[in-house]
Structure formats: C-alpha cells, structure tokens
Amino acid sequence: SSRHQIMFVMALLMASDPVVAFGLLSQKPNKLGVLQARPNTQPVLAASAAEEESKRGGASLSSSTINLAKNIVGSGVLALAAGVAAFSGSPVALVPSMALLLLLGGVSGYTFSLIARVGAAVGASTYRDTWAMVFPKNTAVIPAATVTFMTLAAGLSYAIIIGDASSSIAMLAGAPTRLQSPNVWIVFFSVFVLLPLCLLRDLSSLAFGSVLGTAGTLYTALFMALRCLDGSYAAGGKFHASIADSLQPLFITGKPVLNMSIFVLVSMLATAFLAHYNAPKMYEELAPPKDGGSKLRNFNLVCAGGFGAAALLCGAIMSAGYLTFGAASQGLILNNYATSDSLAFLARLGIGLSIIFSYPLNFAGLRDGLLSLFGWSKFAERGSVHVASTVLLIALLNGSALFLKDLGLIAALGGAILGSALVYIYPALMFIANARKQLLLKRAAGYKSSSLQNEMYANYGLVGLGSFLAVVGAVMSLKG
C-alpha cells in the first residue's frame, strides 16, 4: 500500500548512515551536562590520516569535503526513485524532482553552515553544546532527545532491513524454507554478530563500514546507470521476464505530472541530507587558512562541495532507478532488480554488509543517548552497566523487529518530524537567538547590521519551512 511504501522509505532514509550516532558516540557530558569529545573514536577517517592532518593543523578542504559527502549519502538514496513514482509515472517527473532535490539540498547545506557559524561564535564544538550556549542549558535535552529517538527508529530499521536482505539472499541460494524467514536471520545476526560488535568498547575499527558503504553506494550508482542504459529491464530485455509483473517498468503519460502526492518526495528529501549533528565538530577540525583569517569561507566551500557532490550522486541514483522502472519503482530500488542479475546481487551484498557494520555505531549513539537522558552516564564505564544495557537494548530493539515488519508508523513520523527539526528548525532557532543577542550589542555600541537582521528574518522563514515539511511528512505518513 502507499502508506507502507511511505513508511518504508522514511525509515530507510533514517537508517541510511549513522551520522547522528557519531554525534552522540563521540561525546560525553561534562559538569554542566554538555556533551564533550571522547577520545579513541574516529568513525570516518583512519587514524593515520587523522594524525597527518593533525600535524598540519587540521583537516584539509578536500578531505573535509569528501567526508561530508560520505556522511550525507547512505543507503537511503536507494529510496528516492520511489518518491518520484509516488506522484507520477512520466519520465518528465524527473525535472521537478531534480529541482526539489537541488533546492532542499542547498537549504540543508546552508543550515549545516549555520550551525557551525553559531557554534564558532559562542565557542561550542558540538550540536548540543551550541544549543546550550544560546538557550538555557537545561533545554539541551531537546536536541539530545531528538537524536536519541532517531537512532532508536534507525536501529529498528537496520534490524528489519538485515532480516529482509538476508532472506532474499537465502532464497537466491536455494536455502531451506525455514532459513528463508527474515526472523531467523534477525535472531542469528543479533546473537552472533550484532551483540559481539555492540559490546566492543572501541568502535574505531568499524570505520571500515563507512568505507564499505561509500564504495557500495558508488558501485550501485554505476550498476544502476549501466542497467538503465543497456535496456536489460525494458520490454524484451535480458531480465524483463525474470521479475514479477508488479516490478516491471511502467511509464504513464497523458496525465498531469504534478499533484499533491509530490509531497511524498518532499518529505523524503527533508531528511535525505541529514548530517547536521557533526557541523560544529567538522568546523573545529578544519585547518585554518594560511593567512590566519576566519575559517568560515573555507568551511562554506566544504559545505558547497560536500552537499553539492551528495546532491549530484543522489540525483544520479534517483534518475537511473526511475528511468529504468518508472511508476513501478520500489521503496528499496534494489528490490526491482532480478535475483538472477549478478551485478544486483553484489549491490545487495555490499549494502547489507554496510548496514551490519553501521548498526553498532548507531547503537552506541542510542545506548549513550539513553544513559545520558536518564542521568546514568556516570555509570556507563562500568562493565556490568555496559553489558546489561547492551543486551537489554538489543533484545528490545531487535525483538520488536520480529513483529514490526512495515518499519512502523513511529519510524515514519519520527523521520518526518524530528528530521525536519534537526535540519531546519533547530539550526534556524539557534541562529535567531544568537543573532538577537549580537544585534542588541551592536545597537548598544551605536552600530547597525542590516545584513544580520535580514538573515535573522530569513531564518524565521526557515522555521516555517521546517514546520511545514514536518507537518507534510506526518500527513503523508498517516495517509493511506
């Protein structure tokens, strides 16, 4: 059903990359309750590369841009073709879809820079720290709870996707019927793979999962482009008869391209560029310019390059999937491809392995976030607390995945509402609060800053946009 499709897509987008988990994973609360950096966790860069950049005084423009693009693009990009199919079956629908993707990608890049600007102005190096410097410190629980809930929904999505992907591979391998059940694989991976990985104290070795995920996404983009161009799935193509009728390419013309269902894609794109929890940290780690000036110009170049590259890759995969299957595009586009297609099998395997490696990183953010919210962070280093909280959370989270097969209404609503809050509403509110303080100081000193004031007014509009996208996402998730 359309409701199932929307919920699957939104949850997949949340599970696309453990960026949010990195935000919590690399922090611990200080005496003020504000999260600070914890050593020995470098989820993206290898230790040797980080050491080299440290010797040079910080991360370079190129490495920062690449890492930002990697953080943004994950397996959730494989859901975007379904967003186009939700409102049209015409190839022309790609034109407004690409326009929306580039627009919201640009706005997301601006708010990413916005968080870093505010953080630099108030001397903060984390998302939560930045919030605590411009609003009362006891309200810092708001962004922390938002992120924790999203890691919860993402963890549930990971478990369900692992089960479904393993079941598909088992069917392809001709395994016994019992082993073709997703629940069997959820239990197997929970006990023998995910639990041991989640019990690790130092997760820096799992940075391989980030590399694997990036390589898998790039491979998938090339594979999808090849299949789009070679016509293997078109009528009369090599794999056309190998897939179910409901998965075969379907293009519909003669109907209006635009309709209200376009907001399905809008609500997806609202969370497709979520990397914002890392903005202050990335700004802090960026090498200062050689002339000793502000890092802001270089950081804006990183934002433009990272979000630009991510938007182009997302657009390429969305276009290749939709131009191949049209209105038949599934919530996970790889489900459209034949099990006998060896290139598709490699793509499924790569994405599946990436999710397995990403699960512990997301889980660590969830565990640390919950302990922090309940005021138990001071006990986190105890072995008994670490083991008990890990076992209990995996049992509850993956146990729920045995029954919630549509990823749940909560996951969809969480992605729409909380994702919009993290990307649009919270950054704009932090900028407005800090800008008002700066304007008061300037006026007291006899200065005027019309540009700052105009930007502040523009950010009121961003709060409205984020609220609108949150409501649209919630409505489209509830709509059957």
Side-chain angles (χ1 to χ4, degrees):
S1 66
S2 60
R3 175 174 169 177
H4 175 276
Q5 182 93 325
I6 294 165
M7 289 193 289
F8 181 88
V9 166
M10 293 300 298
L12 181 61
L13 284 166
M14 283 193 294
S16 64
D17 202 299
V19 174
V20 175
F22 292 142
L24 286 175
L25 177 62
S26 59
Q27 302 157 13
K28 63 180 179 181
N30 62 10
K31 294 179 180 179
L32 296 175
V34 178
L35 298 183
Q36 293 181 319
R38 177 189 298 173
N40 299 325
T41 53
Q42 294 177 330
V44 178
L45 290 177
S48 58
E51 290 172 2
E52 287 297 317
E53 290 186 340
S54 179
K55 292 176 183 177
R56 296 196 302 268
S60 66
L61 273 173
S62 57
S63 65
S64 296
T65 301
I66 292 171
N67 277 307
L68 176 56
K70 285 166 61 180
N71 281 350
I72 297 169
V73 179
S75 57
V77 69
L78 302 176
L80 295 179
V84 185
F87 73 90
S88 178
S90 170
V92 180
L94 274 178
V95 176
S97 299
M98 284 297 298
L100 280 172
L101 185 148
L102 295 174
L103 172 63
L104 293 179
V107 174
S108 297
Y110 168 73
T111 58
F112 187 88
S113 174
L114 206 62
I115 298 167
R117 285 170 56 192
V118 176
V122 300
S125 59
T126 69
Y127 194 113
R128 177 172 174 169
D129 219 344
T130 304
W131 179 282
M133 294 296 287
V134 297
F135 294 113
K137 287 183 172 61
N138 59 359
T139 65
V141 69
I142 296 174
T146 302
V147 171
T148 300
F149 183 88
M150 289 199 71
T151 56
L152 174 67
L156 176 62
S157 303
Y158 277 131
I160 295 174
I161 293 170
I162 287 172
D164 288 347
S166 300
S167 173
S168 298
I169 293 174
M171 292 179 186
L172 178 62
T177 303
R178 182 174 297 180
L179 294 181
Q180 295 180 15
S181 169
N183 285 355
V184 170
W185 292 105
I186 291 175
V187 172
F188 173 82
F189 278 104
S190 297
V191 175
F192 297 105
V193 179
L194 300 178
L195 179 59
L197 290 177
C198 290
L199 285 172
L200 292 174
R201 286 286 191 177
D202 183 5
L203 298 179
S204 59
S205 59
L206 297 182
F208 173 72
S210 175
V211 177
L212 181 63
T214 303
T217 303
L218 291 174
Y219 166 80
T220 300
L222 293 174
F223 142 71
M224 290 176 62
L226 175 64
R227 289 294 183 247
C228 178
L229 294 173
D230 69 13
S232 296
Y233 288 87
K238 180 179 178 182
F239 297 108
H240 182 79
S242 301
I243 55 178
D245 292 345
S246 60
L247 303 178
Q248 292 176 351
L250 176 62
F251 294 96
I252 303 171
T253 58
K255 292 185 178 181
V257 173
L258 298 180
N259 55 70
M260 290 300 293
S261 293
I262 195 174
F263 287 112
V264 173
L265 179 63
V266 170
S267 63
M268 290 166 58
L269 292 174
T271 53
F273 294 94
L274 176 59
H276 292 59
Y277 216 89
N278 282 336
K281 184 175 178 60
M282 290 193 71
Y283 181 85
E284 184 181 45
E285 293 177 346
L286 182 66
K290 294 180 180 180
D291 61 8
S294 171
K295 294 193 291 186
L296 182 58
R297 180 178 179 277
N298 284 351
F299 187 75
N300 285 336
L301 290 176
V302 170
C303 293
F307 278 86
L312 290 176
L313 183 56
C314 288
I317 292 178
M318 178 180 73
S319 300
Y322 183 74
L323 290 176
T324 303
F325 297 104
S329 299
Q330 298 295 293
L332 178 59
I333 194 64
L334 290 180
N335 287 341
N336 279 94
Y337 294 90
T339 55
S340 57
D341 188 342
S342 58
L343 297 183
F345 172 79
L346 291 176
R348 292 186 180 102
L349 184 62
I351 296 298
L353 289 175
S354 173
I355 288 177
I356 289 173
F357 280 106
S358 298
Y359 182 99
L361 297 168
N362 180 82
F363 182 86
L366 171 62
R367 180 182 56 212
D368 291 354
L370 287 174
L371 290 175
S372 176
L373 288 176
F374 287 107
W376 297 337
S377 294
K378 57 185 176 181
F379 305 117
E381 298 302 319
R382 294 183 182 178
S384 58
V385 173
H386 178 74
V387 173
S389 59
T390 300
V391 173
L392 180 61
L393 274 177
I394 284 186
L396 290 175
L397 196 63
N398 294 9
S400 299
L402 300 175
F403 304 98
L404 300 177
K405 293 306 179 184
D406 62 0
L407 301 189
L409 180 60
I410 294 177
L413 290 174
I417 298 173
L418 302 183
S420 295
L422 286 170
V423 176
Y424 305 108
I425 300 174
Y426 293 171
L429 289 176
M430 287 189 282
F431 179 82
I432 291 169
N434 188 60
R436 292 176 67 178
K437 294 177 183 178
Q438 290 186 30
L439 287 171
L440 287 175
L441 291 175
K442 289 179 181 292
R443 287 169 185 165
Y447 295 100
K448 291 184 178 181
S449 181
S450 57
S451 60
L452 179 61
Q453 186 169 357
N454 291 337
E455 189 173 9
M456 183 183 71
Y457 290 147
N459 274 272
Y460 279 110
L462 259 183
V463 174
L465 173 65
S467 301
F468 171 76
L469 293 175
V471 171
V472 167
V475 170
M476 296 311 298
S477 298
L478 292 168
K479 185 178 179 181

